[in-house]
Amino acid sequence: MNYDKSVIRNFSVIAHIDHGKSTICDRILELTETIEKREMKDQILDSMDLERERGITIKLNAVTLKYNANDGKTYIFNLIDTPGHVDFTYEVSRSLAACEGALLVIDATQGIEAQTLANLYLAVDNDLTIIPVINKIDLPSARIDYCREELTERIGIDGDGAIPVSAKTGENIKEILERIVSDIPAPSGDNSNPLKALIFDSYYDPYRGVVILIRVKDGKVKVGDKILLMRSGASFVVTELGIRTPKEISTKELNCGEVGYLCAQIRDIKDVDVGDTITLFDYPAKESLPGYRKIKPMVYSGIYPTDSRKYGDLKDALEKLCLSDSSLRYEPETSQALGFGFRCGFLGLLHMDVVQERLEREYGLDLILTSPSVIYKVYLTDGSVMNLDNPSKMPDLTLVKQIEEPYVKAQIMTPEEYIGPIMQLCQDRRGVYIDQQYFDATRRVLVYEIPLSEIIYNFFDKLKSYTKGYASLDYEISDYRVSDLAKMDILLNGDVIDALSSIVYKKDAYKKGLKLVSRLKEVIPRQQFEVPIQAAINGKVIARADVKAVRKDVLAKCYGGDISRKRKLLEKQKEGKKRMKMVGSVELPQEAFTSILDIGEDKD
Amino acid sequence: MKIKKKKINSLYIHIPFCKNICPYCDFVKFYSNKSWEDQYIKRLIEDLNEVEKKFKKFKTIYIGGGTPSILSSENLINLLKTLNKLKKKKCEFTIEANPEDIDDNFLQIIKEYNINRISIGIQSFNKSILKEIKRDYSINYFELIKKVKKYIKNMNIDLIFGFKDQTLKDLDEDLNSFIKLDVNHISIYSLIVDEGSIFYVKKYEEQDEDLSRKFYDFILNKLRNNGYERYEISNFAKKRKYQSKHNLNYWKNKEYVGLGLASHGYIYPNRYNFTKSLSNYLNREDLIEKEVVNPKTMKEYFFLTNLRLKDGFKLKDYKKTFKSEFVDDYEVLVNSLIKDNLAKITKNRFYLTDEGLIILDFILLKFFDF
């Protein structure tokens, strides 16, 4: 088909988690016959196994589709999917920068959620045209008029213009496509201008090197062109261009306004920086595109291979993973207990979880993750300040003047009846009450300032369980504040295990120490000899528990000659042991390193 | 020309039928049914005739189950007749029996066909435990054993410990009842709730590790004080000659022929097992699964069998099998086990101490991982 910029529509979909974004995308793919029915798997854009299993979108994903509109013309749609979880806001901002419009999906039974708002503001910031869509109208509890009102009153978008749909039954999906044609502007720019293509994603392919996903904002690019990556300064010759439907179809060129992929035999991952601008080496653009707001990781944790010989594999895996997850940060670190590994920065705990699972699944690694930590500002007596992202690196207390920790401003939206328990939870987590707003007749928004460290220790899970899943949480870093903090060490057999150290609020230290040692006692299997576990602050032991010695470990019966079975049982146990880390003379399972996460408060 | 017959010490025959299903048992078993039983014994005898052609006569034969004593007199006699053709003149010839099935008729038959060892699954003498495991608790064991002895003197009794709510006093009484019977061999196992057992489905809880150890130590002491020597983790005999030669053959990692549904065998380099499906067995379909022993698994088998024995293994047997010195191959591990008093080494032998035997699996993993 000939290139015609006026029939191109680039858009993404914004929605709160569970509001049906991926299902709507599936229906759109179906209706445009991009994917034949028989190829249709549920949530086709969620290509990672992990995404399908968890039912969430983690990575953004782009697809090109054709739509024969009522006006008789055929339009080219580029749909860029976005993740909905608060941890992945960065990915959302990336996809929005590649679009002219966005569908805003709202669950007809739930109304607008805090997270929907946050992403919507991102879209508006990017000057996108918003098309509101009210989903799940097939459900009996759907409140379409109420959602329309909410759109108008809360956000100032014309609620009457919202499209009521059911992604489940397919009702009104066609209306969405027509509105994309009529409401979202065609891309601006011109093929004759110098090339400006935004890199919005990339991944590594063993055969083709780095595959870059681009949105051509201005100019055009052909196979054989010599390109320049403006920020990194690297240049390459384009070997392959194409679009994803979602099958890859190679093309000779990508024109202004188009979305597609680009390969240029790029072997070194470091040359490609998501958010960078590609231009032509011989006909360069004067200035690069704005790129992205660099996002700072909020949570840090050490990642170590269970088998120290796999350090090199872990390094390669992290490098490759970074390509498709540019929010991940890492640098080498060493632990006495765990050997060589990396200190990694994550956007949040879910992000950390996802990274761990991807490393283990996609790269076949067995990993130990230390308990997550935030960045503390440690003011030393000599006047210097250190940013501490690893509790074990805390300087001697005599050298420390004061410690500051990051606070977040947390907005919790909840049905009224859960206000009590949530306030209790926030208080337990050292939260400072700021405000309470009425969101609508039945829901309120609580605003608290809470130390980030308290949020990362299973705050979200607690919140969900206290409110039967109804509350939602949105937070952003507000500032750093002085706190009365101390490093709590864990000793096994009398030796400090650096990987188990954590920073705690002094007033909670005694309680936390007790809980931590008893939790460790639960998760550490019996050892050959009794092992004392101690929690200590400033060298003073505040709690102790003992891991028992193995007393009896034998499969007594071995008759009928079924010896193969016994061997297989032992093999299985041996596999289990491989996931343990030998620290000194003690075998520690992965859970031991993150057990501080499980002791947020009393088990209820 | 006559084919040279292979020499293997032991033959195991499996009888998978039972009258009642014991709740702790995870073996393959079927409620007894005359027609199945007839077909099964017919198949078994066909197989035994094949075995006779390929193997020299056996030093030990063991008929286990299931419940071999459940067989009809006719089937039992037919089976024993065939087996008599396969046994050496001097052969330890054992049959397992349930107390409920033992009567003069049964005893006469087995005696007549040269069975010289009987293993009786009593499990416990405690009435409430017997009820729990669906056993007949009205039997007078003292009288029963007296009667058996008239026919067969070499006898084993199986007991189980570690039932829910069982106290040390209950255990002591069980052991006293056993000792009073004056039987020369006992196998005493801690209750294990295996997948495939009724207890597993009912989520029956195994005894806590520390308590189980306490019971085990108690048993070890009590039986030793009454003249029984523990020669394998769970097996005790009054004199060396009463040790089970058949089981010792397994524990010394030697070859054995297994026949019958779900039975296991080891004919170097194959460890094999028969199908668990009765219809497949009767129709000769998907009959056998094999595992070829390789140098690595050979070592694993060597340790997991031999180390069960109080006497461990002869260093020269290790050398003969693996063409290297045991102490060279496992120096660091051996030294640490000896230092921790879990094992001992002499000029000739390596063996685990009492302390080591009770955590055998823990130690085996170290060998497997070395």
Side-chain angles (χ1 to χ4, degrees):
Chain A
M1 199 168 87
N2 292 328
Y3 166 69
D4 174 4
K5 192 160 59 88
S6 72
V7 297
I8 298 175
R9 298 290 182 272
N10 297 321
F11 65 98
S12 66
V13 185
I14 300 170
H16 187 66
I17 205 159
D18 283 344
H19 280 196
K21 176 175 47 73
S22 296
T23 326
I24 286 187
C25 293
D26 286 355
R27 289 296 155 269
I28 292 176
L29 295 186
E30 226 174 74
L31 204 69
T32 54
E33 286 165 18
T34 304
I35 310 236
E36 284 181 43
K37 277 252 180 193
R38 68 189 152 80
E39 285 179 71
M40 208 56 201
K41 288 184 255 181
D42 276 349
Q43 267 111 55
I44 197 106
L45 285 182
D46 292 345
S47 54
M48 269 192 259
D49 287 350
L50 199 58
E51 291 183 320
R52 280 216 186 84
E53 267 167 40
R54 296 198 172 192
I56 57 172
T57 308
I58 296 162
K59 281 288 300 166
L60 52 91
N61 216 328
V63 59
T64 300
L65 34 108
K66 280 183 199 165
Y67 174 60
N68 299 316
N70 291 347
D71 65 7
K73 285 199 254 178
T74 300
Y75 287 84
I76 306 289
F77 286 179
N78 289 306
L79 160 58
I80 299 170
D81 199 11
T82 59
H85 191 276
V86 57
D87 274 9
F88 300 108
T89 307
Y90 177 61
E91 300 266 345
V92 177
S93 68
R94 285 160 56 187
S95 42
L96 296 180
C99 300
E100 279 80 33
L103 303 180
L104 169 65
V105 179
I106 301 167
D107 185 325
T109 67
Q110 305 276 327
I112 299 170
E113 308 263 355
Q115 188 58 37
T116 323
L117 279 176
N119 284 338
L120 180 69
Y121 293 142
L122 275 174
V124 174
D125 274 356
N126 278 280
D127 292 328
L128 301 196
T129 303
I130 310 292
I131 302 174
V133 173
I134 301 172
N135 189 25
K136 303 196 188 175
I137 58 166
D138 55 302
L139 294 179
S141 51
R143 299 181 294 171
I144 304 170
D145 288 337
Y146 166 77
C147 289
R148 286 186 197 280
E149 242 169 75
E150 234 191 348
L151 276 165
T152 314
E153 283 170 23
R154 304 241 141 258
I155 316 178
I157 289 183
D158 176 17
D160 295 338
I163 314 166
V165 307
S166 164
K168 201 169 142 201
T169 64
E171 188 182 346
N172 262 351
I173 298 290
K174 179 129 177 107
E175 170 73 12
I176 299 181
L177 300 176
E178 285 298 320
R179 287 281 294 280
I180 292 171
V181 170
S182 62
D183 291 12
I184 297 177
S188 57
D190 196 295
N191 259 357
S192 61
N193 288 339
L195 173 68
K196 279 185 189 176
L198 176 72
I199 302 177
F200 66 87
D201 201 4
S202 63
Y203 58 91
Y204 191 83
D205 179 298
Y207 302 105
R208 299 181 291 177
V210 180
V211 180
I212 303 174
L213 298 187
I214 54 169
R215 156 72 203 271
V216 183
K217 288 277 198 175
D218 214 354
K220 67 182 223 174
V221 60
K222 301 187 302 294
V223 173
D225 279 349
K226 191 171 182 196
I227 52 164
L228 172 72
L229 276 62
M230 294 181 78
R231 195 181 312 152
S232 76
S235 65
F236 302 94
V237 174
V238 177
T239 54
E240 192 185 341
L241 289 168
I243 56 169
R244 310 209 302 177
T245 68
K247 247 180 263 155
E248 289 185 344
I249 295 175
S250 66
T251 57
K252 291 209 172 61
E253 53 187 33
L254 284 175
N255 296 289
C256 179
E258 291 183 323
V259 172
Y261 66 90
L262 179 154
C263 305
Q265 290 297 321
I266 305 173
R267 290 287 154 198
D268 194 350
I269 292 155
K270 290 186 206 76
D271 289 333
V272 179
D273 199 356
V274 170
D276 199 353
T277 305
I278 297 179
T279 191
L280 293 181
F281 191 81
D282 299 320
Y283 181 32
K286 284 204 184 68
E287 54 195 25
S288 59
L289 296 162
Y292 301 119
R293 171 168 67 107
K294 275 271 173 193
I295 199 153
K296 277 194 202 136
M298 301 221 251
V299 176
Y300 286 79
S301 155
I303 297 190
Y304 294 83
T306 312
D307 177 351
S308 343
R309 288 168 299 188
K310 294 276 167 70
Y311 174 78
D313 295 356
L314 175 58
K315 188 167 173 245
D316 289 350
L318 279 169
E319 267 181 18
K320 289 192 179 128
L321 197 63
C322 259
L323 255 193
S324 69
D325 183 350
S326 49
S327 52
L328 176 66
R329 297 273 174 278
Y330 65 95
E331 55 184 58
E333 78 170 4
T334 321
S335 150
Q336 277 173 351
L338 299 175
F340 292 105
F342 296 90
R343 178 113 310 229
C344 299
F346 307 97
L347 303 176
L349 277 195
L350 179 65
H351 185 213
M352 173 172 133
D353 235 28
V354 164
V355 167
Q356 177 184 6
E357 281 207 48
R358 289 189 67 188
L359 285 171
E360 294 195 335
R361 279 194 205 191
E362 293 169 28
Y363 300 93
L365 296 163
D366 274 336
L367 301 173
I368 300 278
L369 268 76
T370 63
S371 54
S373 165
V374 301
I375 294 198
Y376 296 93
K377 284 195 171 146
V378 183
Y379 292 82
L380 302 176
T381 46
D382 67 1
S384 63
V385 187
M386 82 184 269
N387 287 322
L388 183 85
D389 62 10
N390 181 349
S392 71
K393 302 249 160 69
M394 174 73 94
D396 192 282
L397 273 195
T398 55
L399 303 173
V400 175
K401 201 165 83 195
Q402 64 179 36
I403 306 170
E404 287 183 358
E405 66 175 326
Y407 268 67
V408 297
K409 188 172 163 199
Q411 297 199 27
I412 302 163
M413 188 188 294
T414 174
E416 265 175 348
E417 60 263 42
Y418 305 117
I419 293 276
I422 292 178
M423 289 181 120
Q424 187 61 49
L425 174 65
C426 291
Q427 229 156 52
D428 291 347
R429 300 301 183 91
R430 298 190 280 140
V432 181
Y433 172 83
I434 300 297
D435 193 12
Q436 183 175 164
Q437 295 151 3
Y438 287 85
F439 192 79
D440 55 37
T442 57
R443 286 182 298 173
R444 296 201 208 162
V445 178
L446 286 171
V447 183
Y448 268 88
E449 285 172 350
I450 307 177
L452 177 60
S453 64
E454 298 283 352
I455 297 265
I456 66 173
Y457 290 163
N458 77 0
F459 182 86
F460 191 61
D461 291 346
K462 284 281 165 195
L463 185 67
K464 285 282 173 193
S465 80
Y466 283 176
T467 62
K468 303 199 173 80
Y470 278 112
S472 65
L473 166 74
D474 193 23
Y475 62 86
E476 53 185 9
I477 296 280
S478 57
D479 53 0
Y480 271 80
R481 293 181 195 178
V482 178
S483 282
D484 194 11
L485 301 170
K487 179 174 73 149
M488 182 163 78
D489 286 321
I490 296 294
L491 293 80
L492 293 179
N493 262 338
D495 300 325
V496 174
I497 307 300
D498 57 0
L500 291 175
S501 297
S502 55
I503 305 287
V504 294
Y505 183 55
K506 261 191 203 157
K507 288 208 179 87
D508 293 343
Y510 183 70
K511 215 166 68 187
K512 276 210 166 153
L514 265 181
K515 280 185 194 154
L516 185 54
V517 293
S518 60
R519 174 74 186 143
L520 281 169
K521 185 190 156 178
E522 274 171 45
V523 300
I524 300 175
R526 287 181 182 234
Q527 310 276 323
Q528 188 169 339
F529 302 103
E530 210 169 74
V531 177
I533 313 167
Q534 293 162 306
I537 284 186
N538 283 335
K540 191 180 147 228
V541 173
I542 56 167
R544 170 178 172 151
D546 295 319
V547 178
K548 286 188 183 172
V550 187
R551 296 284 292 146
K552 181 164 179 278
D553 182 12
V554 62
L555 209 56
K557 66 176 175 183
C558 193
Y559 45 31
D562 191 356
I563 298 164
S564 329
R565 181 171 125 180
K566 180 158 164 63
R567 192 182 66 80
K568 279 173 199 144
L569 283 173
L570 285 164
E571 280 297 337
K572 226 165 117 187
Q573 281 188 43
K574 195 174 113 186
E575 284 310 305
K577 268 180 67 156
K578 274 199 188 144
R579 296 194 45 92
M580 305 244 209
K581 186 88 187 173
M582 201 72 180
V583 174
S585 58
V586 186
E587 269 175 345
L588 297 181
Q590 154 76 54
E591 301 94 283
F593 296 94
T594 47
S595 43
I596 193 150
L597 285 180
D598 306 328
I599 59 155
E601 56 264 356
D602 299 309
K603 295 257 157 171
D604 28 35
Chain B
M1 198 185 82
K2 226 175 127 181
I3 309 161
K4 194 167 180 246
K5 290 186 180 181
K6 195 167 164 64
K7 187 184 159 197
I8 280 182
N9 290 339
S10 299
L11 171 67
Y12 175 79
I13 309 293
H14 193 72
I15 307 295
F17 303 107
C18 294
K19 207 184 297 172
N20 298 309
I21 303 297
C22 305
Y24 51 83
C25 172
D26 71 322
F27 275 33
V28 181
K29 64 261 161 179
F30 304 91
Y31 282 112
S32 183
N33 160 315
K34 181 76 169 73
S35 140
W36 284 353
E37 206 187 286
D38 292 347
Q39 292 176 63
Y40 185 81
I41 295 297
K42 194 169 149 259
R43 277 286 180 220
L44 207 50
I45 289 173
E46 286 168 15
D47 286 347
L48 283 168
N49 288 330
E50 286 304 304
V51 165
E52 196 199 348
K53 286 179 203 156
K54 287 183 197 152
F55 295 93
K56 290 192 175 168
K57 293 192 170 164
F58 294 96
K59 275 187 192 164
T60 77
I61 296 176
Y62 194 106
I63 309 171
T67 317
S69 53
I70 206 178
L71 292 176
S72 68
S73 301
E74 191 195 349
N75 278 330
L76 183 61
I77 289 170
N78 283 336
L79 177 64
L80 293 180
K81 266 186 187 160
T82 314
L83 286 172
N84 268 275
K85 292 188 284 184
L86 276 83
K87 70 182 268 296
K88 275 199 163 157
K89 203 165 177 197
K90 197 169 170 243
C91 171
E92 182 192 87
F93 193 2
T94 311
I95 190 166
E96 283 179 354
N98 250 21
E100 292 103 288
D101 301 329
I102 299 173
D103 55 19
D104 282 301
N105 176 47
F106 174 77
L107 291 166
Q108 259 158 19
I109 294 173
I110 61 172
K111 170 93 179 157
E112 189 182 332
Y113 287 94
N114 300 313
I115 282 187
N116 51 24
R117 187 169 180 274
I118 184 167
S119 175
I120 304 174
I122 291 181
Q123 320 307 359
S124 175
F125 299 95
N126 181 302
K127 284 208 163 60
S128 64
I129 289 175
L130 288 171
K131 259 189 217 170
E132 196 175 4
I133 61 171
K134 308 273 181 284
R135 291 296 182 110
D136 181 351
Y137 43 86
S138 61
I139 294 175
N140 180 331
Y141 286 103
F142 194 76
E143 290 304 318
L144 179 79
I145 299 304
K146 213 162 94 182
K147 182 154 80 186
V148 175
K149 280 185 190 165
K150 279 192 226 153
Y151 297 85
I152 290 173
K153 295 213 166 41
N154 194 3
M155 198 187 312
N156 167 58
I157 281 173
D158 276 349
L159 291 187
I160 295 178
F161 73 94
F163 292 97
K164 203 167 53 194
D165 304 329
Q166 190 183 22
T167 63
L168 211 52
K169 187 167 159 277
D170 295 335
L171 176 69
D172 191 31
E173 282 168 11
D174 262 358
L175 291 174
N176 285 334
S177 305
F178 165 75
I179 289 162
K180 215 169 68 186
L181 298 176
D182 191 26
V183 164
N184 51 35
H185 191 285
I186 177 173
S187 300
I188 181 158
Y189 301 107
S190 67
L191 178 73
I192 288 175
V193 180
D194 271 316
E195 242 175 283
S197 68
I198 296 173
F199 274 164
Y200 182 83
V201 178
K202 289 189 170 170
K203 301 198 162 66
Y204 193 94
E205 264 179 56
E206 275 177 28
Q207 207 176 24
D208 155 84
E209 183 176 328
D210 294 294
L211 192 62
S212 184
R213 171 64 187 265
K214 203 166 154 192
F215 275 40
Y216 186 87
D217 288 345
F218 184 84
I219 292 165
L220 198 54
N221 243 318
K222 176 119 188 166
L223 288 175
R224 279 177 174 164
N225 289 339
N226 284 277
Y228 291 88
E229 186 197 36
R230 193 248 325 243
Y231 68 102
E232 189 263 359
I233 287 165
S234 311
N235 284 272
F236 298 75
K238 269 196 172 163
K239 284 182 185 154
R240 196 173 190 92
K241 67 172 180 179
Y242 297 129
Q243 294 179 357
S244 163
K245 292 180 186 64
H246 183 84
N247 286 334
L248 277 171
N249 187 72
Y250 296 150
W251 295 325
K252 290 184 172 170
N253 198 30
K254 291 188 177 159
E255 294 167 287
Y256 54 99
V257 176
L259 271 192
L261 180 107
S263 68
H264 294 258
Y266 173 31
I267 302 171
Y268 184 82
N270 294 310
R271 288 201 175 258
Y272 65 87
N273 60 280
F274 274 89
T275 174
K276 292 173 176 174
S277 148
L278 186 60
S279 62
N280 282 356
Y281 183 78
L282 295 177
N283 298 322
R284 296 282 193 268
E285 285 163 6
D286 301 320
L287 201 57
I288 281 183
E289 265 177 10
K290 270 186 202 165
E291 179 207 333
V292 182
V293 176
N294 61 40
K296 180 177 155 279
T297 52
M298 182 71 182
K299 270 195 182 163
E300 295 179 349
Y301 280 121
F302 183 89
F303 291 127
L304 79 83
T305 51
N306 280 291
L307 289 180
R308 298 185 72 83
L309 295 169
K310 172 186 153 278
D311 292 335
F313 55 86
K314 284 186 189 153
L315 299 174
K316 70 170 195 224
D317 283 347
Y318 179 93
K319 192 174 178 181
K320 207 171 119 193
T321 316
F322 302 110
K323 316 288 175 229
S324 58
E325 294 290 348
F326 172 67
V327 278
D328 295 343
D329 291 356
Y330 293 94
E331 191 181 347
V332 178
L333 177 57
V334 167
N335 286 340
S336 93
L337 290 173
I338 291 170
K339 184 180 129 265
D340 297 336
N341 191 34
L342 297 175
K344 281 208 159 65
I345 198 158
T346 65
K347 211 168 70 188
N348 304 318
R349 289 185 170 277
F350 176 79
Y351 60 92
L352 299 187
T353 60
D354 285 355
E355 283 295 316
L357 277 178
I358 192 63
I359 56 166
L360 172 66
D361 288 5
F362 184 83
I363 292 171
L364 282 176
L365 282 178
K366 290 178 187 267
F367 275 103
F368 280 30
D369 231 2
F370 197 78

